[in-house]
Amino acid sequence: MNFRGFVAACLSGLLFVCASAGAQQQAPDALIEQVSKEVLETARNDPAIQAGDLQRITTLVDEKILPHVNFRRMTASAVGRYWRQATPEQRQRLEAEFKQLLMRTYAGALAQVRNQQVHMKPFRAAPEDKEVIVRTEVRGQGEPVQVDYRLEKTERGWKIYDVNVLGVWLVENYRSSFAQEIGQVGIDGLIQKLVERNKNAGSGQS
């Protein structure tokens, strides 16, 4: 996997978020800067992550990411208009399988981390803004890669709900493919396809 492939896969998994309890109160750009630098440092220094250990990555994700990422909003946006048609059980399964899909992609990407560094771009937002975009650039081998984040302000701090790598927003990208799948096989069909993809990934199949 080349460096651009690593960034697309790794950052679409939405990073390892810092463990500090005070991180939730940070400004959105400060949070992203801390998050981005920590994920690269963690990936470089953790032998299990370098080896692509999914259990290690999943444990860290559950402990560090979930409090800072709105996976429900991500999943609902990716499913699009069909989300309103889904039952509570279907929504729960979609969210679980979507998360698993991203985490498995993330696991394969983290082993590629070497000397990348994150550089923050100028951040512009008004104090009353409830949603913002934080822009960054990842530099390392080859051309710099632009990585942007959409965040929403909540009572529990800023939360990431979408990521843009090389001009492609994660949620929009999945929304197109999910809509096609649902149109062909329905919501349960999409869930089953996600289950199969995750199962095949876990067994090493493509």
Side-chain angles (χ1 to χ4, degrees):
M1 180 183 295
N2 60 26
F3 175 57
R4 291 193 175 197
F6 151 70
V7 174
C10 173
L11 294 179
S12 69
L14 296 181
L15 309 177
F16 288 125
V17 179
C18 85
S20 170
Q24 291 181 337
Q25 304 305 318
Q26 287 179 302
D29 56 332
L31 176 61
I32 290 298
E33 182 174 20
Q34 187 169 350
V35 165
S36 301
K37 290 181 177 179
E38 179 159 324
V39 65
L40 296 179
E41 181 179 357
T42 301
R44 280 193 295 266
N45 297 325
D46 191 316
I49 292 176
Q50 288 283 307
D53 187 329
L54 182 61
Q55 182 175 357
R56 169 68 171 157
I57 293 170
T58 300
T59 298
L60 286 173
V61 166
D62 288 340
E63 293 178 352
K64 312 302 182 186
I65 286 186
L66 292 186
H68 301 272
V69 176
N70 190 341
F71 263 112
R72 173 55 64 95
R73 177 169 179 175
M74 284 185 62
T75 309
S77 296
V79 175
R81 61 188 176 89
Y82 297 103
W83 184 257
R84 295 191 297 272
Q85 304 173 18
T87 66
E89 181 182 0
Q90 287 174 325
R91 291 180 178 184
Q92 184 177 19
R93 294 193 64 195
L94 282 166
E95 185 177 352
E97 294 301 330
F98 188 43
K99 172 192 168 186
Q100 187 73 358
L101 175 66
L102 294 178
M103 292 308 102
R104 288 193 180 280
T105 302
Y106 194 41
L110 281 176
Q112 305 299 317
V113 175
R114 293 298 181 269
N115 300 315
Q116 292 80 11
Q117 300 292 329
V118 175
H119 295 261
M120 305 298 296
K121 292 189 173 182
F123 176 67
R124 298 178 180 86
E128 66 272 15
D129 286 347
K130 302 298 183 183
E131 297 191 359
V132 299
I133 296 178
V134 176
R135 306 184 188 279
T136 74
E137 188 174 77
V138 181
R139 301 175 185 175
Q141 303 169 349
E143 293 293 323
V145 176
Q146 179 177 337
V147 183
D148 302 332
Y149 303 84
R150 283 180 172 146
L151 298 94
E152 63 175 348
K153 189 175 186 179
T154 74
E155 294 180 353
R156 293 171 292 174
W158 289 95
K159 290 181 180 283
I160 302 167
Y161 68 90
D162 204 356
V163 179
N164 182 321
V165 180
L166 296 172
V168 179
W169 286 103
L170 171 73
V171 166
E172 293 175 3
N173 185 53
Y174 276 106
R175 184 183 299 130
S176 176
S177 61
F178 283 2
Q180 184 176 7
E181 293 286 354
I182 294 174
Q184 293 175 350
V185 296
I187 294 174
D188 285 332
L190 172 61
I191 293 172
Q192 185 57 38
K193 285 183 176 291
L194 291 174
V195 170
E196 291 172 358
R197 287 181 65 179
N198 288 328
K199 182 177 180 181
N200 290 340
S203 62
Q205 301 178 31
S206 58

Coordinates of all heavy atoms in Angstrom, one line a residue, residues 72-141:
R72 N -22.8 7.2 14.9 CA -24.2 7.1 14.6 C -24.5 8.1 13.4 O -25.2 7.8 12.4 CB -25.1 7.4 15.8 CG -26.6 7.6 15.5 CD -27.2 6.4 14.8 NE -27.1 5.1 15.5 CZ -28.1 4.7 16.3 NH1 -29.2 5.3 16.4 NH2 -28.0 3.5 16.9
R73 N -24.0 9.3 13.5 CA -24.2 10.3 12.5 C -23.5 9.9 11.2 O -24.1 10.0 10.1 CB -23.8 11.7 12.9 CG -23.9 12.7 11.8 CD -23.7 14.1 12.3 NE -23.8 15.1 11.2 CZ -23.8 16.4 11.3 NH1 -23.6 17.0 12.5 NH2 -23.9 17.2 10.2
M74 N -22.3 9.4 11.3 CA -21.6 8.9 10.2 C -22.4 7.8 9.4 O -22.5 7.9 8.2 CB -20.2 8.3 10.6 CG -19.2 9.3 10.9 SD -17.6 8.5 11.2 CE -17.3 7.7 9.6
T75 N -22.9 6.8 10.2 CA -23.6 5.7 9.6 C -24.9 6.2 8.9 O -25.2 5.9 7.8 CB -23.9 4.7 10.6 OG1 -22.7 4.3 11.3 CG2 -24.5 3.4 9.9
A76 N -25.6 7.1 9.6 CA -26.9 7.6 9.1 C -26.6 8.4 7.8 O -27.4 8.2 6.9 CB -27.6 8.5 10.2
S77 N -25.6 9.2 7.8 CA -25.3 10.0 6.6 C -24.9 9.1 5.4 O -25.2 9.3 4.3 CB -24.2 11.0 6.9 OG -24.6 11.9 7.9
A78 N -24.1 8.0 5.8 CA -23.7 7.1 4.7 C -24.8 6.3 4.1 O -24.9 6.1 2.9 CB -22.6 6.1 5.3
V79 N -25.8 5.9 5.0 CA -27.0 5.2 4.5 C -27.9 6.1 3.8 O -28.7 5.7 2.9 CB -27.6 4.5 5.7 CG1 -28.9 3.8 5.2 CG2 -26.7 3.4 6.3
G80 N -27.9 7.4 4.1 CA -28.7 8.4 3.5 C -30.2 8.3 3.8 O -30.6 8.0 4.9
R81 N -31.0 8.5 2.8 CA -32.5 8.5 3.0 C -33.0 7.2 3.4 O -34.1 7.2 4.0 CB -33.2 8.9 1.7 CG -32.9 8.0 0.5 CD -33.5 8.6 -0.8 NE -33.2 7.8 -2.0 CZ -34.0 6.8 -2.4 NH1 -35.1 6.5 -1.7 NH2 -33.7 6.1 -3.5
Y82 N -32.3 6.1 3.2 CA -32.8 4.8 3.7 C -32.7 4.7 5.2 O -33.3 3.8 5.7 CB -32.0 3.7 3.0 CG -32.1 3.7 1.5 CD1 -31.1 4.2 0.7 CD2 -33.3 3.2 0.9 CE1 -31.3 4.2 -0.7 CE2 -33.4 3.1 -0.5 CZ -32.4 3.6 -1.3 OH -32.5 3.6 -2.7
W83 N -31.9 5.5 5.8 CA -31.8 5.4 7.3 C -33.2 5.6 8.0 O -33.5 4.9 8.9 CB -30.8 6.5 7.8 CG -30.6 6.5 9.3 CD1 -31.1 7.3 10.2 CD2 -29.7 5.5 9.9 NE1 -30.6 7.0 11.5 CE2 -29.7 5.9 11.3 CE3 -28.9 4.5 9.5 CZ2 -29.0 5.2 12.3 CZ3 -28.1 3.8 10.5 CH2 -28.2 4.2 11.8
R84 N -34.0 6.5 7.4 CA -35.3 6.7 8.0 C -36.2 5.5 7.9 O -37.2 5.3 8.6 CB -36.0 7.9 7.3 CG -35.3 9.2 7.6 CD -36.1 10.4 7.1 NE -36.4 10.3 5.6 CZ -35.6 10.9 4.7 NH1 -34.4 11.5 5.1 NH2 -35.8 10.8 3.5
Q85 N -35.9 4.6 6.9 CA -36.7 3.4 6.7 C -36.3 2.2 7.5 O -37.0 1.3 7.7 CB -36.7 3.0 5.2 CG -37.1 4.1 4.2 CD -36.9 3.7 2.8 OE1 -36.7 2.5 2.5 NE2 -36.9 4.7 1.9
A86 N -35.1 2.4 8.1 CA -34.5 1.2 8.8 C -35.1 1.1 10.2 O -35.4 2.1 10.9 CB -33.0 1.4 9.0
T87 N -35.3 -0.1 10.7 CA -35.8 -0.3 12.0 C -34.6 0.0 13.0 O -33.5 0.0 12.7 CB -36.2 -1.8 12.2 OG1 -35.1 -2.6 12.1 CG2 -37.3 -2.1 11.2
P88 N -35.0 0.1 14.3 CA -33.9 0.3 15.3 C -32.9 -0.8 15.3 O -31.7 -0.5 15.4 CB -34.7 0.3 16.7 CG -36.0 0.9 16.3 CD -36.3 0.3 14.9
E89 N -33.3 -2.0 15.1 CA -32.3 -3.1 15.0 C -31.5 -3.0 13.8 O -30.2 -3.3 13.9 CB -33.1 -4.5 15.0 CG -32.2 -5.7 15.0 CD -32.9 -7.0 14.9 OE1 -34.1 -7.0 14.9 OE2 -32.2 -8.0 14.9
Q90 N -32.0 -2.7 12.7 CA -31.2 -2.5 11.5 C -30.2 -1.4 11.6 O -29.1 -1.5 11.2 CB -32.2 -2.3 10.3 CG -32.9 -3.5 9.8 CD -33.9 -3.1 8.7 OE1 -34.5 -2.0 8.7 NE2 -34.2 -4.0 7.8
R91 N -30.6 -0.3 12.2 CA -29.7 0.8 12.5 C -28.6 0.4 13.3 O -27.4 0.7 13.1 CB -30.5 2.0 13.1 CG -31.5 2.6 12.2 CD -32.2 3.8 12.9 NE -33.1 4.5 12.0 CZ -33.8 5.6 12.3 NH1 -33.7 6.1 13.5 NH2 -34.6 6.1 11.5
Q92 N -28.9 -0.4 14.4 CA -27.8 -0.8 15.3 C -26.8 -1.7 14.5 O -25.6 -1.6 14.7 CB -28.4 -1.6 16.5 CG -27.4 -2.0 17.5 CD -28.1 -2.7 18.7 OE1 -29.2 -3.1 18.6 NE2 -27.4 -2.7 19.8
R93 N -27.3 -2.6 13.7 CA -26.5 -3.5 13.0 C -25.6 -2.8 11.9 O -24.5 -3.1 11.7 CB -27.3 -4.6 12.3 CG -27.9 -5.6 13.3 CD -28.5 -6.8 12.6 NE -27.4 -7.6 12.1 CZ -27.6 -8.6 11.2 NH1 -28.8 -8.8 10.7 NH2 -26.6 -9.3 10.7
L94 N -26.3 -1.8 11.2 CA -25.5 -1.0 10.2 C -24.4 -0.3 10.9 O -23.3 -0.3 10.4 CB -26.5 -0.1 9.6 CG -27.4 -0.6 8.5 CD1 -28.5 0.4 8.2 CD2 -26.7 -1.0 7.2
E95 N -24.7 0.3 12.0 CA -23.6 1.1 12.7 C -22.5 0.2 13.1 O -21.3 0.5 13.0 CB -24.2 1.8 13.9 CG -23.2 2.7 14.6 CD -23.8 3.5 15.8 OE1 -25.0 3.4 15.9 OE2 -23.0 4.1 16.5
A96 N -22.8 -1.0 13.7 CA -21.8 -2.0 14.1 C -20.9 -2.5 13.0 O -19.7 -2.5 13.1 CB -22.4 -3.1 14.9
E97 N -21.6 -2.8 11.9 CA -20.8 -3.4 10.7 C -20.0 -2.3 10.0 O -18.9 -2.6 9.5 CB -21.8 -4.1 9.8 CG -22.5 -5.3 10.3 CD -21.5 -6.4 10.8 OE1 -20.4 -6.5 10.2 OE2 -21.8 -7.1 11.7
F98 N -20.6 -1.1 9.9 CA -19.8 0.0 9.3 C -18.6 0.3 10.1 O -17.5 0.5 9.6 CB -20.7 1.2 9.2 CG -20.2 2.4 8.4 CD1 -19.5 2.1 7.2 CD2 -20.3 3.7 8.8 CE1 -19.0 3.2 6.5 CE2 -19.8 4.7 8.1 CZ -19.1 4.5 6.9
K99 N -18.7 0.4 11.4 CA -17.6 0.6 12.3 C -16.5 -0.5 12.1 O -15.3 -0.2 12.0 CB -18.0 0.6 13.8 CG -16.9 0.7 14.7 CD -17.3 0.4 16.2 CE -16.2 0.2 17.1 NZ -16.6 -0.2 18.4
Q100 N -17.0 -1.7 12.0 CA -16.1 -2.9 11.9 C -15.3 -2.8 10.5 O -14.1 -3.0 10.4 CB -16.8 -4.2 12.0 CG -15.9 -5.4 12.0 CD -15.2 -5.6 13.3 OE1 -15.3 -4.8 14.2 NE2 -14.4 -6.6 13.4
L101 N -16.1 -2.4 9.5 CA -15.4 -2.2 8.2 C -14.3 -1.2 8.2 O -13.2 -1.4 7.7 CB -16.5 -1.8 7.2 CG -16.0 -1.5 5.8 CD1 -15.5 -2.7 5.1 CD2 -17.2 -0.9 4.9
L102 N -14.6 0.0 8.9 CA -13.6 1.0 8.9 C -12.4 0.6 9.8 O -11.3 0.9 9.4 CB -14.2 2.3 9.5 CG -15.3 3.0 8.7 CD1 -15.8 4.2 9.4 CD2 -14.7 3.4 7.3
M103 N -12.7 -0.1 10.9 CA -11.6 -0.5 11.7 C -10.7 -1.6 11.1 O -9.5 -1.6 11.3 CB -12.1 -1.1 13.0 CG -12.8 0.0 13.9 SD -11.8 1.5 14.2 CE -12.5 2.6 13.1
R104 N -11.3 -2.4 10.3 CA -10.4 -3.4 9.6 C -9.6 -2.8 8.5 O -8.4 -3.1 8.3 CB -11.3 -4.5 9.0 CG -11.9 -5.4 10.0 CD -12.5 -6.7 9.4 NE -13.1 -7.6 10.4 CZ -12.4 -8.4 11.2 NH1 -11.1 -8.5 11.0 NH2 -13.0 -9.2 12.1
T105 N -10.1 -1.8 7.8 CA -9.4 -1.0 6.9 C -8.2 -0.3 7.6 O -7.1 -0.3 7.1 CB -10.2 0.0 6.2 OG1 -11.3 -0.7 5.5 CG2 -9.5 0.8 5.1
Y106 N -8.5 0.2 8.8 CA -7.6 0.9 9.6 C -6.4 0.0 10.0 O -5.3 0.4 10.0 CB -8.3 1.5 10.8 CG -7.6 2.5 11.6 CD1 -6.8 3.5 11.0 CD2 -7.7 2.5 13.0 CE1 -6.2 4.5 11.8 CE2 -7.0 3.5 13.8 CZ -6.3 4.4 13.2 OH -5.7 5.4 13.9
A107 N -6.8 -1.2 10.4 CA -5.8 -2.1 10.9 C -4.7 -2.4 9.8 O -3.5 -2.5 10.1 CB -6.5 -3.4 11.3
G108 N -5.2 -2.6 8.6 CA -4.3 -2.9 7.5 C -3.4 -1.7 7.1 O -2.3 -1.8 6.6
A109 N -3.9 -0.5 7.4 CA -3.2 0.7 7.0 C -2.1 1.1 8.0 O -1.0 1.7 7.7 CB -4.1 1.9 6.8
L110 N -2.4 0.9 9.3 CA -1.5 1.5 10.3 C 0.0 0.9 10.3 O 0.9 1.6 10.7 CB -2.1 1.2 11.7 CG -3.2 2.2 12.1 CD1 -3.8 1.8 13.5 CD2 -2.7 3.6 12.2
A111 N 0.1 -0.3 9.8 CA 1.4 -0.9 9.7 C 2.3 -0.1 8.7 O 3.5 -0.3 8.7 CB 1.3 -2.3 9.3
Q112 N 1.7 0.8 7.9 CA 2.4 1.5 6.9 C 3.0 2.8 7.4 O 3.7 3.5 6.7 CB 1.5 1.8 5.7 CG 0.9 0.6 5.1 CD 1.9 -0.4 4.5 OE1 2.9 0.0 3.9 NE2 1.6 -1.7 4.8
V113 N 2.7 3.2 8.6 CA 3.2 4.4 9.2 C 4.7 4.4 9.4 O 5.2 3.5 10.1 CB 2.4 4.7 10.5 CG1 3.0 6.0 11.2 CG2 1.0 4.9 10.3
R114 N 5.3 5.4 9.0 CA 6.8 5.5 9.2 C 7.1 7.0 9.6 O 7.2 7.2 10.8 CB 7.5 5.2 7.9 CG 7.4 3.7 7.5 CD 8.0 2.7 8.5 NE 7.8 1.4 8.1 CZ 6.8 0.6 8.4 NH1 5.8 1.0 9.1 NH2 6.8 -0.7 8.0
N115 N 7.4 7.8 8.7 CA 7.9 9.2 9.1 C 6.9 10.3 8.8 O 7.4 11.5 8.7 CB 9.2 9.4 8.3 CG 10.3 8.4 8.7 OD1 10.5 8.1 9.9 ND2 11.0 7.9 7.7
Q116 N 5.7 10.0 8.7 CA 4.7 11.1 8.3 C 4.5 12.1 9.4 O 4.6 11.7 10.6 CB 3.3 10.4 8.0 CG 3.3 9.6 6.7 CD 3.9 8.2 6.9 OE1 4.1 7.8 8.0 NE2 4.1 7.5 5.8
Q117 N 4.3 13.3 9.0 CA 4.1 14.4 10.0 C 2.8 15.2 9.6 O 2.5 15.3 8.4 CB 5.3 15.4 10.0 CG 6.6 14.7 10.4 CD 6.6 14.3 11.9 OE1 5.9 15.0 12.7 NE2 7.3 13.3 12.2
V118 N 2.1 15.7 10.5 CA 0.9 16.4 10.3 C 1.1 17.9 10.4 O 1.7 18.4 11.4 CB -0.3 16.0 11.2 CG1 -1.5 16.9 11.0 CG2 -0.6 14.5 11.1
H119 N 0.7 18.7 9.4 CA 0.8 20.1 9.4 C -0.6 20.7 9.4 O -1.4 20.4 8.5 CB 1.7 20.6 8.3 CG 3.1 20.2 8.4 ND1 4.1 21.0 8.8 CD2 3.7 19.0 8.1 CE1 5.3 20.3 8.8 NE2 5.0 19.1 8.4
M120 N -0.9 21.6 10.3 CA -2.2 22.3 10.4 C -2.3 23.4 9.4 O -1.3 24.2 9.3 CB -2.5 22.7 11.8 CG -2.4 21.7 12.9 SD -3.5 20.3 12.6 CE -5.1 21.2 12.9
K121 N -3.4 23.6 8.7 CA -3.7 24.7 7.9 C -4.4 25.8 8.7 O -5.0 25.5 9.7 CB -4.4 24.3 6.6 CG -3.6 23.4 5.7 CD -4.3 23.2 4.4 CE -3.5 22.5 3.4 NZ -4.1 22.3 2.1
P122 N -4.4 27.0 8.2 CA -5.1 28.1 9.0 C -6.6 27.7 9.2 O -7.3 27.2 8.3 CB -5.0 29.3 8.1 CG -3.8 29.1 7.3 CD -3.7 27.6 7.1
F123 N -7.0 27.9 10.5 CA -8.4 27.6 10.8 C -9.2 28.8 11.0 O -8.8 29.7 11.7 CB -8.4 26.8 12.2 CG -9.7 26.4 12.7 CD1 -10.5 25.5 12.0 CD2 -10.2 27.0 13.9 CE1 -11.8 25.2 12.5 CE2 -11.4 26.7 14.4 CZ -12.2 25.8 13.7
R124 N -10.4 28.8 10.4 CA -11.3 29.9 10.4 C -12.7 29.5 10.9 O -13.3 28.6 10.3 CB -11.4 30.7 9.1 CG -10.1 31.2 8.6 CD -10.2 31.9 7.2 NE -8.9 32.4 6.8 CZ -8.0 31.7 6.1 NH1 -8.3 30.4 5.9 NH2 -6.9 32.3 5.7
A125 N -13.1 30.0 12.0 CA -14.5 29.7 12.5 C -14.9 30.8 13.5 O -14.1 31.4 14.1 CB -14.5 28.3 13.2
A126 N -16.2 31.0 13.5 CA -16.8 32.0 14.5 C -17.1 31.3 15.8 O -17.3 30.0 15.8 CB -18.1 32.6 13.9
P127 N -17.0 32.0 16.9 CA -17.3 31.3 18.2 C -18.6 30.6 18.3 O -18.8 29.6 19.0 CB -17.2 32.5 19.2 CG -16.3 33.5 18.5 CD -16.7 33.4 17.0
E128 N -19.6 31.1 17.6 CA -20.9 30.5 17.6 C -21.1 29.4 16.7 O -22.2 28.7 16.7 CB -22.0 31.6 17.3 CG -22.0 32.2 15.9 CD -21.0 33.3 15.8 OE1 -20.2 33.6 16.7 OE2 -21.2 34.0 14.7
D129 N -20.2 29.0 15.9 CA -20.3 27.9 14.9 C -20.5 26.6 15.6 O -19.8 26.3 16.6 CB -19.1 27.8 14.0 CG -19.0 28.9 13.0 OD1 -20.0 29.6 12.8 OD2 -18.0 29.1 12.3
K130 N -21.5 25.8 15.1 CA -21.7 24.5 15.7 C -21.1 23.4 14.9 O -21.0 22.3 15.3 CB -23.3 24.3 15.7 CG -24.0 25.3 16.6 CD -23.5 25.3 18.0 CE -24.3 26.3 18.9 NZ -23.9 26.4 20.3
E131 N -20.8 23.7 13.6 CA -20.1 22.7 12.7 C -18.9 23.4 12.0 O -19.1 24.6 11.6 CB -21.0 22.1 11.7 CG -22.2 21.3 12.4 CD -23.0 20.5 11.4 OE1 -22.6 20.6 10.1 OE2 -23.9 19.8 11.8
V132 N -17.8 22.8 12.0 CA -16.6 23.4 11.4 C -15.8 22.4 10.5 O -16.1 21.1 10.6 CB -15.7 23.9 12.5 CG1 -16.3 25.0 13.3 CG2 -15.1 22.8 13.3
I133 N -14.9 22.9 9.7 CA -14.0 22.0 9.0 C -12.6 22.4 9.4 O -12.2 23.5 9.4 CB -14.2 22.2 7.4 CG1 -15.6 21.7 7.0 CG2 -13.1 21.4 6.7 CD1 -15.8 21.9 5.5
V134 N -11.8 21.4 9.8 CA -10.4 21.6 10.1 C -9.6 21.0 9.0 O -9.8 19.8 8.7 CB -10.1 20.9 11.5 CG1 -8.6 21.0 11.8 CG2 -10.9 21.6 12.6
R135 N -8.7 21.7 8.5 CA -7.9 21.3 7.3 C -6.4 21.0 7.8 O -5.8 21.8 8.5 CB -7.9 22.3 6.2 CG -9.4 22.7 5.8 CD -9.4 23.6 4.6 NE -10.7 24.1 4.3 CZ -11.7 23.4 3.7 NH1 -11.4 22.2 3.2 NH2 -12.9 23.9 3.5
T136 N -5.9 19.9 7.3 CA -4.5 19.5 7.6 C -3.8 19.0 6.3 O -4.5 18.8 5.3 CB -4.5 18.4 8.7 OG1 -4.8 17.2 8.1 CG2 -5.4 18.7 9.8
E137 N -2.5 18.9 6.5 CA -1.8 18.3 5.4 C -0.8 17.3 6.0 O -0.1 17.6 6.9 CB -1.0 19.4 4.6 CG -0.3 18.9 3.4 CD 0.3 20.1 2.6 OE1 1.4 20.5 3.0 OE2 -0.3 20.5 1.6
V138 N -0.8 16.1 5.5 CA 0.1 15.0 5.9 C 1.3 15.0 5.0 O 1.2 14.8 3.8 CB -0.6 13.7 6.0 CG1 0.4 12.6 6.5 CG2 -1.8 13.8 6.9
R139 N 2.5 15.2 5.6 CA 3.7 15.2 4.8 C 4.6 14.0 5.2 O 4.7 13.7 6.3 CB 4.5 16.5 5.0 CG 3.6 17.7 4.6 CD 4.4 19.0 4.9 NE 3.5 20.2 4.7 CZ 3.9 21.4 5.0 NH1 5.1 21.7 5.5 NH2 3.1 22.4 4.7
G140 N 5.2 13.5 4.2 CA 6.1 12.3 4.4 C 6.8 11.9 3.1 O 7.3 12.8 2.4
Q141 N 6.6 10.7 2.8 CA 7.1 10.2 1.5 C 6.2 10.6 0.4 O 5.0 10.5 0.5 CB 7.3 8.7 1.5 CG 8.1 8.1 2.6 CD 8.0 6.7 2.8 OE1 7.1 6.0 2.2 NE2 8.9 6.1 3.6

